[in-house]
Amino acid sequence: MKYKILMTLMGLEIGGAETHVVELSKELKKQGYDIIVASNGGVYEKELAAAGIRHYHVPMNQRNIFKMLRSYFLLKRIVKKEKVDIVHSHARIPGFICGLLKRRMKNAFTFVTSAHWVFYTGMGLKYLTNWGQKVVAVSEDIRQYLMDNYRVRSEDIFVTINGIDTDKFSPKTDGSRIRREFGLKEGEPTLVYVSRMDESRALVAGQLIALTPRLAEEIPGLRMLIVGGGDVYEEMLEKSRTANEKIGRECVTMTGGRTDINEFVAVADVFVGVSRSALEAMAAEKTVVVAGNEGYIGIFTPDKLEMAQENNFCCRGCEMSSEELLFRDVVYAFHKMTPEERRQAGKYGREVIFEYYSVSKMAADCVKAYDAAWRESHAPQYNVVMSGYYGFNNTGDEAIMLSMHKNIQGLGENVHITVLSNKPEDTKEKYGIEAVYRFGAREVLRAIRKCDVLLSGGGSLLQDSTSTRSLMYYLSITVAAKLMRKKVMLYANGIGPVSGRRNRRLVKQVVNRADLITLREENSYEELLSMGVNPKKCFVTADPVFTMDGIAPEQARGLLAAEGVPMDQPMVVVSVRNWKGMSQFIGRFARLCDTVVEKYDRTIVFLSMQTPNDVEVSEKVCRKMAQPAYILRGSYSPYEVMGIISLADFILSMRLHTLIFAARQKVPLIGFVYDPKIEYYLEKLDMPSGGSLKDFDMEQTLALVENVVSHKAEYVAVLEEKEALLEKMAHRNEKYLERLLKKKK
């Protein structure tokens, strides 16, 4: 669909955000979208008019209540007259006004914003900022800023770039008109700096002017053009006059605001600037010193690319700009770099622009945000809260969370998910999943209040073998949701053991209030029925992790190499955990591992599913072993763990999800039973059991190992069949959820 889009911004004077909007508008217009721009106006109005883009004067450039009220009514008139589909705001004031307008006009348009920089959040200004339905952020660090400071959901942020018109900014651009206007001679060393001359933007301009006498002495015949206008322009102009008087000639020239920036860039031997202006100079194959109010990167070279991309060439988080840094790099660029070195640096800069910063890519990123926001405006939206044992460094439970999240996302972009996590910041950073602190009562209740369905699961949440306190937590979350009249689904739960009579009664009362229950084992189904739970609500599926994939084998080999694990012999992955009676089991299990090494020439590698607990138990086994073994001590994601397991010859495990990972990767396995859920899945997978820990039989287990080694292909064939069935059953979980969501609406 080709939308009619209203761009709103403060003004159209020289500046990075303003140029961004102009280039974006022109590119979208070229692609067939109907573009209108509303702002306080400025030098770029003519460029928009030349592109056939209508401009309305709306005074959104000041926090003045009367101007903001006038802007509100003007924008309302424009939206109605033009029949606007999408409003795209590019600054705080336009965003605030358009946010009010959207609510008052009863969502008559779809609302998108762009974040070009970080805003001051004090004095209540944070609460006057409206980020719309979707946000386009011009860098990854701004994306993180939005999430940290405004709680914008990661799924609502689309990261883009400052798209550059590579035809307009090109090594072929003619700068002769600028040379004539400012009396620049061919071969005269020329430095060009471009930025708004506002107090918040003109730090480097001031430093360059202060350096003029030193630079003129060091670089004979130097000319400096400082391009841009703003609220400190007159102050900078006076300083430039003083500097010129001091050296007895016009070295530094203040041009004021201009729109022919590409022609100024064309005359530069060295360009100094930040953000968009730096990228434009790179497109023109200039040697660029990246410096601005927020930091200093220096002469742009390949080793600076990653750092510059992190902050969109704005220098946030870098060392601050100083006169000494500027003097060093400007002199180096003119005197130490040969013309060929400058040419190569410029050529590399243009290659970077073509690869990462084309204006067509910027427009495509924005269209993705428009499409997502449009769908959100025109389709029913569903909010889901996931409650489980997430954020505790337990690989199995993290795998459940990731599998559930991926599968639920597969239902459509209109399903929004919030996870209750013990470490919400880690969950967001590692996996890009929206999360709140599971013990923060206010946050949890707010998330539940906004949701359509609460999911409790997966995993063995309803049990009292670890503690009654854990059981009470999950039951209380369910009760809170039902008190708020929310739908509740127990999602792929493993139930029990629940031993206490009072606890069993509580589970029955609370679980009977759930709207839908899926269970990962028949055992759990039988357990709920024994408590008196309504069987009509219960459906047996499978663990969601049967739908998860791991990293590629070559990546997994890299992780093992980093841990010093040799790959010259087949690897046996061992996963142990602490449990009652482990002290008696450890010595015998160590002898089993020794035999595997001695008899079958295998390398034993201990894999932790919960750090540091499993590492400590693994160390105890290793100390009892006569043969060498390896312990993986890194903190690995579930994807990485599954990738490592894929390289194993076979698996020895007490952990359920190690077994599931192995089955998913078609790696033969032998399980050791400390809980009925292990026995259940060994039977479902038709894989051998080493029996319960208290009845461990060394000879019987060695016979199982011999059979696995001798008939590996047969075990793999069994796993291929059984795992495919369990994967299909696991996908039923989200299908049941989908029915519940649609029933809700």
Side-chain angles (χ1 to χ4, degrees), residues 157-308:
I157 304 173
F158 294 75
V159 178
T160 189
I161 41 83
N162 273 318
I164 307 300
D165 185 337
T166 52
D167 292 327
K168 182 177 177 181
F169 291 91
S170 161
K172 297 178 181 178
T173 302
D174 184 10
S176 59
R177 189 178 61 82
I178 298 298
R179 290 191 180 279
R180 288 194 301 271
E181 181 179 348
F182 293 97
L184 300 173
K185 299 173 185 175
E186 287 290 343
E188 198 170 43
T190 304
L191 180 150
V192 175
Y193 170 85
V194 177
S195 178
R196 285 209 306 270
M197 293 298 113
D198 289 342
E199 188 173 358
S200 62
R201 295 287 182 269
L203 172 69
V204 173
Q207 291 172 342
L208 285 170
I209 293 169
L211 283 170
T212 299
R214 289 177 64 192
L215 289 171
E217 184 179 348
E218 194 72 25
I219 308 166
L222 175 69
R223 293 291 304 276
M224 293 199 301
L225 301 181
I226 295 185
V227 185
D231 54 30
V232 296
Y233 174 76
E234 293 298 330
E235 177 187 334
M236 293 294 171
L237 181 61
E238 188 58 37
K239 288 181 178 179
S240 70
R241 287 170 179 161
T242 302
N244 286 334
E245 287 172 6
K246 189 171 183 179
I247 61 176
R249 68 177 179 87
E250 185 169 354
C251 176
V252 57
T253 301
M254 304 286 295
T255 72
R258 302 284 294 237
T259 58
D260 47 355
I261 303 301
N262 59 325
E263 294 179 50
F264 278 95
V265 171
V267 304
D269 297 303
V270 174
F271 184 91
V272 179
V274 73
S275 188
R276 184 179 191 86
S277 64
L279 294 167
E280 289 170 344
M282 287 163 57
E285 294 193 0
K286 300 299 177 180
T287 300
V288 178
V289 178
V290 186
N293 268 61
E294 297 184 64
Y296 189 90
I297 291 175
I299 297 173
F300 181 70
T301 49
D303 60 303
K304 305 283 181 63
L305 177 61
E306 184 176 353
M307 179 201 309

Side-chain angles (χ1 to χ4, degrees), residues 125-177:
L125 291 174
K126 174 178 179 178
Y127 303 102
L128 296 178
T129 307
N130 191 317
W131 291 113
Q133 295 165 252
K134 304 295 175 186
V135 192
V136 181
V138 299
S139 64
E140 280 293 341
D141 65 330
I142 289 181
R143 175 182 178 274
Q144 194 61 48
Y145 160 84
L146 292 170
M147 292 168 62
D148 294 343
N149 290 275
Y150 293 94
R151 297 179 182 272
V152 180
R153 298 183 304 187
S154 59
E155 66 187 88
D156 291 334
I157 304 173
F158 294 75
V159 178
T160 189
I161 41 83
N162 273 318
I164 307 300
D165 185 337
T166 52
D167 292 327
K168 182 177 177 181
F169 291 91
S170 161
K172 297 178 181 178
T173 302
D174 184 10
S176 59
R177 189 178 61 82

